[in-house]
Amino acid sequence: MDALAGLLEGPRASGAFVLRIVLDPPWSIRVQDGSPLCLAVMLSGEASIEPDHGEPVRLRPGDVAIVRGPDPYVMSDDAAIAPQVIVHPGQRCVTPDGVDLRERMALGVRTWGSDPDGSVQLLLGVYEEVGAVGQRLLDVLPPVLVVADDTWDSTLIPVLAGEVTRQGPAQSVVLDRLLDLLLISVLRVWFDRPETQAPAWYQAHTHPVAGEALRLFHEAPANHWTLERVAAEVGVSRATLAECFRSAVGTPPMTYLTEWRMALAADLLRQSDATLNVVARQVGYGSGFALSSAFKRVYGVSPQEHRSAVPAR
């Protein structure tokens, strides 16, 4: 498992909110749902996405945008139009003066909008949680990134468009996995652009020394890794490993491993009822006490406090 694969294990859809939106101009929607990640696919027509903190972007047919939350943003056909719809947490849609629009704009299975034959059609996939592992990925993304239709070729878009309005057994699982695949595809295309300032951990995955060490950390975080053991597995000296890793990734190898283990532990604590000792063994610590000490150094709270806290939205 490379570093990107490991980080993409974080924002996996599970019961994600997937919707087909059909509109006729003029339209403007302010999204302030607090979600950490949204994927928008333009099927027909055009739209602008303007984050509260960031530059506006224009979407054309076939373009895909990733919007990093939780900050609000406005989607519209014209940035000069005042929002007509406000989207709140739980995907609750109301007018600016608070009138509920759930029934008024429902157009069928996972379809919402002002006109079933509208000239503007887009798909929206909203990840409501990404966890600590996924946050490490989101932290390196701009508020909005766009992969234009003419810069890549994805067969996933028509498949997702065809599945979003279907009903059937395990349909939500089908949509979750399609959304995940599309997200991964878009991120790989974006990271590989020459003009993209890809994060060090992504660039390092092709490095013969640092890339191999990253693979070991992500593939087997529970192993009892030491600098000497990692160096032996990679086939270099400890000094060479330390120098190459710091140069390529930006942190010492054992510091990176600690941060990775803590992110995994943070998600395991929230996603399961496993005891602290069990979580500790899963991420490479001999006891719950050892994990607790390391966890508090990194996050500033105890594992129990983290587990009981309500995730930020």
Side-chain angles (χ1 to χ4, degrees):
M1 181 187 295
D2 60 44
L4 180 61
L7 287 169
L8 284 171
E9 282 293 302
R12 291 187 65 181
S14 179
F17 183 80
V18 184
L19 192 67
R20 173 175 167 261
I21 298 176
V22 189
L23 300 160
D24 254 337
W27 60 275
S28 180
I29 302 170
R30 179 171 174 81
V31 182
Q32 51 189 46
D33 61 358
S35 297
L37 181 67
C38 174
L39 200 68
V41 183
M42 208 71 210
L43 299 180
S44 64
E46 296 188 5
S48 290
I49 299 179
E50 185 170 2
D52 277 10
H53 306 289
E55 295 298 317
V57 300
R58 190 73 178 171
L59 299 183
R60 294 172 176 81
D63 294 354
V64 181
I66 293 176
V67 185
R68 173 174 57 82
D71 291 343
Y73 57 94
V74 173
M75 297 185 68
S76 66
D77 69 296
D78 185 338
I81 300 171
Q84 305 149 331
V85 178
I86 311 295
V87 181
H88 293 284
Q91 305 308 313
R92 185 173 64 88
C93 300
V94 299
T95 64
D97 55 359
V99 177
D100 194 294
L101 295 171
R102 183 187 305 271
E103 293 186 8
R104 186 191 304 180
M105 300 188 75
L107 298 176
V109 178
R110 299 186 194 87
T111 303
W112 179 94
S114 59
D115 184 346
D117 300 312
S119 60
V120 175
Q121 294 191 42
L122 64 147
L123 301 177
L124 214 61
V126 178
Y127 288 75
E128 309 232 325
E129 290 185 25
V130 296
V133 169
Q135 193 60 50
R136 287 163 63 91
L137 172 63
L138 298 192
D139 285 345
V140 305
L141 301 181
V144 184
L145 68 87
V146 176
V147 172
D149 176 58
D150 58 2
T151 63
W152 74 315
D153 181 20
S154 175
T155 58
L156 291 169
I157 292 176
V159 176
L160 180 60
E163 290 287 344
V164 71
T165 56
R166 289 185 181 175
Q167 293 278 47
Q171 188 64 15
S172 63
V173 177
V174 171
L175 294 173
D176 284 348
R177 297 293 75 82
L178 286 173
L179 195 60
D180 287 341
L181 288 171
L182 185 57
L183 173 66
I184 292 168
S185 298
V186 171
L187 286 173
R188 289 201 310 186
V189 170
W190 186 76
F191 277 137
D192 285 340
R193 285 176 170 177
E195 66 271 23
T196 296
Q197 298 249 333
W201 54 257
Y202 181 80
Q203 299 179 35
H205 80 277
T206 58
H207 192 284
V209 175
E212 182 63 14
L214 283 170
R215 184 190 65 79
L216 293 173
F217 292 157
H218 284 264
E219 204 167 75
N223 280 7
H224 298 299
W225 295 117
T226 62
L227 190 63
E228 183 174 13
R229 185 176 177 190
V230 177
E233 288 282 343
V234 177
V236 297
S237 69
R238 288 183 299 172
T240 298
L241 170 64
E243 181 181 351
C244 289
F245 197 96
R246 183 190 285 271
S247 175
V249 181
T251 61
M254 304 314 287
T255 300
Y256 181 92
L257 176 60
T258 296
E259 293 172 349
W260 177 240
R261 283 171 165 171
M262 292 304 101
L264 291 173
D267 285 350
L268 287 169
L269 287 164
R270 284 264 174 85
Q271 295 166 4
S272 76
D273 295 325
T275 66
L276 190 57
N277 283 330
V278 169
V279 172
R281 289 193 294 270
Q282 289 179 295
V283 299
Y285 284 81
S287 68
F289 179 79
L291 172 62
S292 183
S293 298
F295 194 92
K296 193 159 188 176
R297 282 198 302 273
V298 172
Y299 286 108
V301 297
S302 70
Q304 185 57 43
E305 288 171 326
H306 170 79
R307 172 173 265 171
S308 60
V310 176
R313 286 294 304 276

